[in-house]
Amino acid sequence: MDINKLIEILKEKYPNARYELDWDNPLQLLIGTILAAQCTDERVNKVTKILFPKYPNAQAVADADIGELEEVLKPTGFYKKKAKQIQDVCRALLENFAGEVPKTMAELTTLPGVARKSANVVLNNAFRIPSGIIVDTHVHRISPRMGLTKEGNPEAIERALMKIVPQDEWVQFGPAMVLHGRYVCTAKKPKCSECVLKDICPKIGVEN
DNA sequence: CTCCCGATAT
DNA sequence: ATATCAGGAG
């Protein structure tokens, strides 16, 4: 797989790639990303449409009745854990970060429910900071398939991608890979015939 | 490795 | 009825 060719083709196919969560400010993206654990963006968007007007800022979430918060979050699954996480995140933001979403990987990953994937989503999309490369379930699946790495865990895959993709491409590359995995290079029955990468992809492990 | 949990498609 | 979707903490 020619990495420069891959970057070029992805950029052309997904010029404005971004995570498909609805948000108006960094806090909303952070909350949406936490809720997106084991849950589609589509379902997160349905919930945040109710959640964000009801709790318009960090203080409102911090002060929320945990039971009411849980009710709103229920459709995203793991709702008790997520309710506590986003409330604790907002409290930590108010206490430690002057109510603002921090702009570094180290600070973001101190927050409950936020590891590298979520931190990269926030930093890449809200702040255009090339903190790393988003490795969600899609990037995790398609990177070995494309022959970009033989690594199997998210941290190692991210490290491998960071080595072969120039840093000034990370913010574009990550979200584009996510979209490509979600809609074309799917887990079952990947749509190779309509894939823009079909001529340069080794299709490792893909049955056809 | 287990636990945390539910909507939608087939 | 069963498959698919798709992170993080302990």
Side-chain angles (χ1 to χ4, degrees):
Chain A
M1 177 65 99
D2 180 340
I3 189 66
N4 293 317
K5 194 87 180 159
L6 170 63
I7 293 168
E8 184 190 321
I9 294 173
L10 282 181
K11 203 183 291 188
E12 195 181 323
K13 172 79 176 178
Y14 309 100
N16 300 113
R18 63 174 193 87
Y19 237 67
E20 295 183 310
L21 295 169
D22 295 331
W23 53 280
D24 293 321
N25 52 257
L27 176 63
Q28 291 189 350
L29 179 58
L30 176 60
I31 290 174
T33 306
I34 292 168
L35 299 182
Q38 294 289 101
C39 177
T40 60
D41 287 1
E42 191 182 352
R43 225 177 317 137
V44 171
N45 287 336
K46 283 185 185 172
V47 165
T48 54
K49 199 173 176 183
I50 310 292
L51 183 75
F52 293 156
K54 190 172 167 79
Y55 306 101
N57 52 49
Q59 191 66 55
V61 178
D63 295 340
D65 176 86
I66 192 72
E68 285 184 28
L69 207 48
E70 287 174 359
E71 277 308 309
V72 179
L73 300 188
K74 221 158 203 170
T76 68
F78 308 146
Y79 62 91
K80 287 187 180 174
K81 177 170 280 190
K82 288 176 182 175
K84 180 164 171 36
Q85 283 176 341
I86 70 168
Q87 184 161 66
D88 287 349
V89 162
C90 286
R91 287 174 177 170
L93 256 32
L94 293 165
E95 282 180 32
N96 307 324
F97 300 107
E100 299 290 313
V101 176
K103 296 186 175 63
T104 68
M105 175 62 68
E107 290 172 314
L108 275 169
T109 51
T110 65
L111 301 170
V114 182
R116 285 197 66 92
K117 179 261 172 178
S118 296
N120 278 330
V121 168
V122 171
L123 292 168
N124 287 1
N125 288 282
F127 301 126
R128 315 308 290 181
I129 293 173
S131 50
I133 295 174
I134 298 167
V135 179
D136 70 344
T137 184
H138 302 293
V139 181
H140 181 249
R141 176 183 65 253
I142 75 179
S143 296
R145 201 179 256 179
M146 291 176 176
L148 299 178
T149 176
K150 290 177 181 174
E151 297 294 344
N153 68 77
E155 294 75 26
I157 290 172
E158 189 185 351
R159 256 182 274 120
L161 294 177
M162 287 166 77
K163 273 188 190 171
I164 58 177
V165 178
Q167 186 166 202
D168 61 341
E169 301 287 351
W170 293 355
V171 163
Q172 156 71 23
F173 181 81
M177 287 281 281
V178 171
L179 290 186
H180 194 254
R182 182 173 296 161
Y183 297 114
V184 182
C185 198
T186 48
K188 274 191 73 179
K189 297 182 183 174
K191 301 170 179 62
C192 297
S193 60
E194 58 186 74
C195 179
V196 290
L197 303 169
K198 61 183 169 189
D199 295 330
I200 59 170
C201 180
K203 303 179 175 64
I204 296 169
V206 177
E207 295 153 47
N208 260 337

Short mmCIF file of all heavy atoms in Angstrom, two decimals, chain A residues 170-194:
data_model
loop_
_atom_site.label_atom_id
_atom_site.label_comp_id
_atom_site.label_asym_id
_atom_site.label_seq_id
_atom_site.Cartn_x
_atom_site.Cartn_y
_atom_site.Cartn_z
N TRP A 170 -2.62 14.20 9.85
CA TRP A 170 -3.35 13.39 10.84
C TRP A 170 -4.80 13.80 11.01
O TRP A 170 -5.70 12.96 11.08
CB TRP A 170 -2.65 13.44 12.21
CG TRP A 170 -1.31 12.78 12.23
CD1 TRP A 170 -0.72 12.08 11.21
CD2 TRP A 170 -0.39 12.76 13.33
NE1 TRP A 170 0.51 11.63 11.60
CE2 TRP A 170 0.75 12.04 12.89
CE3 TRP A 170 -0.39 13.29 14.61
CZ2 TRP A 170 1.85 11.81 13.73
CZ3 TRP A 170 0.70 13.07 15.45
CH2 TRP A 170 1.81 12.34 14.99
N VAL A 171 -5.02 15.11 11.11
CA VAL A 171 -6.36 15.63 11.39
C VAL A 171 -7.35 15.30 10.27
O VAL A 171 -8.54 15.10 10.50
CB VAL A 171 -6.28 17.16 11.63
CG1 VAL A 171 -7.62 17.80 11.52
CG2 VAL A 171 -5.65 17.42 13.00
N GLN A 172 -6.84 15.21 9.06
CA GLN A 172 -7.67 14.86 7.90
C GLN A 172 -7.75 13.34 7.73
O GLN A 172 -8.80 12.77 7.46
CB GLN A 172 -7.08 15.52 6.65
CG GLN A 172 -7.42 14.86 5.33
CD GLN A 172 -8.88 15.04 4.94
OE1 GLN A 172 -9.54 15.97 5.41
NE2 GLN A 172 -9.39 14.13 4.12
N PHE A 173 -6.61 12.70 7.93
CA PHE A 173 -6.48 11.26 7.68
C PHE A 173 -7.36 10.41 8.60
O PHE A 173 -8.09 9.52 8.13
CB PHE A 173 -5.01 10.84 7.84
CG PHE A 173 -4.73 9.39 7.59
CD1 PHE A 173 -4.59 8.89 6.30
CD2 PHE A 173 -4.60 8.50 8.66
CE1 PHE A 173 -4.32 7.54 6.08
CE2 PHE A 173 -4.33 7.16 8.44
CZ PHE A 173 -4.20 6.68 7.15
N GLY A 174 -7.33 10.68 9.90
CA GLY A 174 -8.08 9.89 10.88
C GLY A 174 -9.57 9.86 10.57
O GLY A 174 -10.14 8.78 10.34
N PRO A 175 -10.22 11.02 10.54
CA PRO A 175 -11.65 11.05 10.25
C PRO A 175 -12.01 10.45 8.88
O PRO A 175 -13.05 9.82 8.73
CB PRO A 175 -11.99 12.55 10.30
CG PRO A 175 -10.98 13.12 11.24
CD PRO A 175 -9.72 12.35 10.97
N ALA A 176 -11.13 10.62 7.89
CA ALA A 176 -11.40 10.04 6.57
C ALA A 176 -11.37 8.51 6.64
O ALA A 176 -12.21 7.83 6.04
CB ALA A 176 -10.37 10.54 5.55
N MET A 177 -10.42 7.97 7.38
CA MET A 177 -10.34 6.51 7.56
C MET A 177 -11.60 5.99 8.26
O MET A 177 -12.12 4.93 7.93
CB MET A 177 -9.10 6.15 8.39
CG MET A 177 -7.79 6.29 7.64
SD MET A 177 -7.46 4.90 6.52
CE MET A 177 -6.85 3.66 7.70
N VAL A 178 -12.07 6.74 9.25
CA VAL A 178 -13.27 6.34 9.98
C VAL A 178 -14.47 6.26 9.03
O VAL A 178 -15.19 5.26 9.02
CB VAL A 178 -13.59 7.35 11.12
CG1 VAL A 178 -14.95 7.05 11.73
CG2 VAL A 178 -12.51 7.31 12.19
N LEU A 179 -14.65 7.28 8.22
CA LEU A 179 -15.78 7.29 7.28
C LEU A 179 -15.65 6.16 6.26
O LEU A 179 -16.63 5.49 5.93
CB LEU A 179 -15.86 8.63 6.55
CG LEU A 179 -16.29 9.83 7.38
CD1 LEU A 179 -16.45 11.05 6.48
CD2 LEU A 179 -17.58 9.57 8.14
N HIS A 180 -14.42 5.95 5.79
CA HIS A 180 -14.22 4.89 4.80
C HIS A 180 -14.53 3.52 5.40
O HIS A 180 -15.15 2.67 4.75
CB HIS A 180 -12.79 4.94 4.26
CG HIS A 180 -12.61 4.11 3.03
ND1 HIS A 180 -11.95 2.90 3.05
CD2 HIS A 180 -13.04 4.29 1.76
CE1 HIS A 180 -11.98 2.39 1.82
NE2 HIS A 180 -12.64 3.21 1.03
N GLY A 181 -14.14 3.32 6.64
CA GLY A 181 -14.42 2.06 7.32
C GLY A 181 -15.91 1.89 7.59
O GLY A 181 -16.46 0.80 7.46
N ARG A 182 -16.54 2.97 7.95
CA ARG A 182 -17.96 2.90 8.29
C ARG A 182 -18.84 2.59 7.08
O ARG A 182 -19.81 1.84 7.19
CB ARG A 182 -18.39 4.23 8.93
CG ARG A 182 -19.83 4.25 9.39
CD ARG A 182 -20.16 5.53 10.16
NE ARG A 182 -19.38 5.61 11.38
CZ ARG A 182 -19.18 6.74 12.06
NH1 ARG A 182 -19.67 7.87 11.61
NH2 ARG A 182 -18.48 6.73 13.16
N TYR A 183 -18.52 3.15 5.94
CA TYR A 183 -19.43 3.05 4.80
C TYR A 183 -18.94 2.18 3.64
O TYR A 183 -19.74 1.72 2.84
CB TYR A 183 -19.77 4.46 4.29
CG TYR A 183 -20.49 5.28 5.32
CD1 TYR A 183 -19.90 6.41 5.87
CD2 TYR A 183 -21.75 4.89 5.77
CE1 TYR A 183 -20.57 7.17 6.83
CE2 TYR A 183 -22.43 5.63 6.73
CZ TYR A 183 -21.83 6.77 7.26
OH TYR A 183 -22.48 7.49 8.22
N VAL A 184 -17.64 1.97 3.52
CA VAL A 184 -17.13 1.20 2.38
C VAL A 184 -16.39 -0.06 2.84
O VAL A 184 -16.76 -1.17 2.47
CB VAL A 184 -16.19 2.06 1.50
CG1 VAL A 184 -15.71 1.24 0.30
CG2 VAL A 184 -16.89 3.33 1.03
N CYS A 185 -15.37 0.13 3.66
CA CYS A 185 -14.55 -1.00 4.10
C CYS A 185 -15.16 -1.58 5.37
O CYS A 185 -14.55 -1.63 6.43
CB CYS A 185 -13.11 -0.55 4.33
SG CYS A 185 -11.92 -1.90 4.36
N THR A 186 -16.40 -2.07 5.23
CA THR A 186 -17.19 -2.53 6.37
C THR A 186 -16.69 -3.86 6.91
O THR A 186 -15.96 -4.58 6.23
CB THR A 186 -18.66 -2.68 5.94
OG1 THR A 186 -18.70 -3.41 4.70
CG2 THR A 186 -19.30 -1.34 5.70
N ALA A 187 -17.11 -4.19 8.12
CA ALA A 187 -16.64 -5.41 8.77
C ALA A 187 -17.02 -6.64 7.95
O ALA A 187 -16.19 -7.48 7.62
CB ALA A 187 -17.22 -5.50 10.18
N LYS A 188 -18.31 -6.74 7.64
CA LYS A 188 -18.79 -7.85 6.81
C LYS A 188 -19.08 -7.34 5.41
O LYS A 188 -19.59 -6.23 5.24
CB LYS A 188 -20.08 -8.44 7.41
CG LYS A 188 -19.83 -9.51 8.47
CD LYS A 188 -21.13 -10.24 8.82
CE LYS A 188 -21.57 -11.17 7.70
NZ LYS A 188 -22.82 -11.90 8.05
N LYS A 189 -18.74 -8.11 4.42
CA LYS A 189 -18.99 -7.77 3.03
C LYS A 189 -18.54 -6.35 2.67
O LYS A 189 -19.35 -5.50 2.30
CB LYS A 189 -20.48 -7.90 2.70
CG LYS A 189 -21.00 -9.32 2.83
CD LYS A 189 -22.48 -9.36 2.43
CE LYS A 189 -23.07 -10.76 2.62
NZ LYS A 189 -24.50 -10.81 2.37
N PRO A 190 -17.24 -6.09 2.77
CA PRO A 190 -16.73 -4.77 2.38
C PRO A 190 -17.02 -4.51 0.91
O PRO A 190 -16.99 -5.42 0.09
CB PRO A 190 -15.22 -4.87 2.64
CG PRO A 190 -14.93 -6.33 2.74
CD PRO A 190 -16.17 -6.97 3.25
N LYS A 191 -17.34 -3.25 0.59
CA LYS A 191 -17.77 -2.90 -0.77
C LYS A 191 -16.56 -2.62 -1.67
O LYS A 191 -16.37 -1.50 -2.17
CB LYS A 191 -18.71 -1.70 -0.71
CG LYS A 191 -19.94 -1.97 0.14
CD LYS A 191 -20.75 -0.71 0.41
CE LYS A 191 -22.00 -1.00 1.24
NZ LYS A 191 -21.69 -1.56 2.60
N CYS A 192 -15.74 -3.65 -1.88
CA CYS A 192 -14.50 -3.50 -2.64
C CYS A 192 -14.74 -3.01 -4.07
O CYS A 192 -13.94 -2.26 -4.63
CB CYS A 192 -13.72 -4.80 -2.66
SG CYS A 192 -13.17 -5.34 -1.01
N SER A 193 -15.86 -3.43 -4.68
CA SER A 193 -16.09 -3.07 -6.08
C SER A 193 -16.29 -1.57 -6.27
O SER A 193 -15.96 -1.02 -7.30
CB SER A 193 -17.31 -3.83 -6.62
OG SER A 193 -18.45 -3.49 -5.86
N GLU A 194 -16.81 -0.91 -5.22
CA GLU A 194 -17.02 0.54 -5.35
C GLU A 194 -16.02 1.35 -4.53
O GLU A 194 -16.21 2.53 -4.28
CB GLU A 194 -18.45 0.90 -4.91
CG GLU A 194 -18.80 0.48 -3.50
CD GLU A 194 -20.28 0.74 -3.16
OE1 GLU A 194 -21.15 -0.02 -3.65
OE2 GLU A 194 -20.54 1.69 -2.45
#
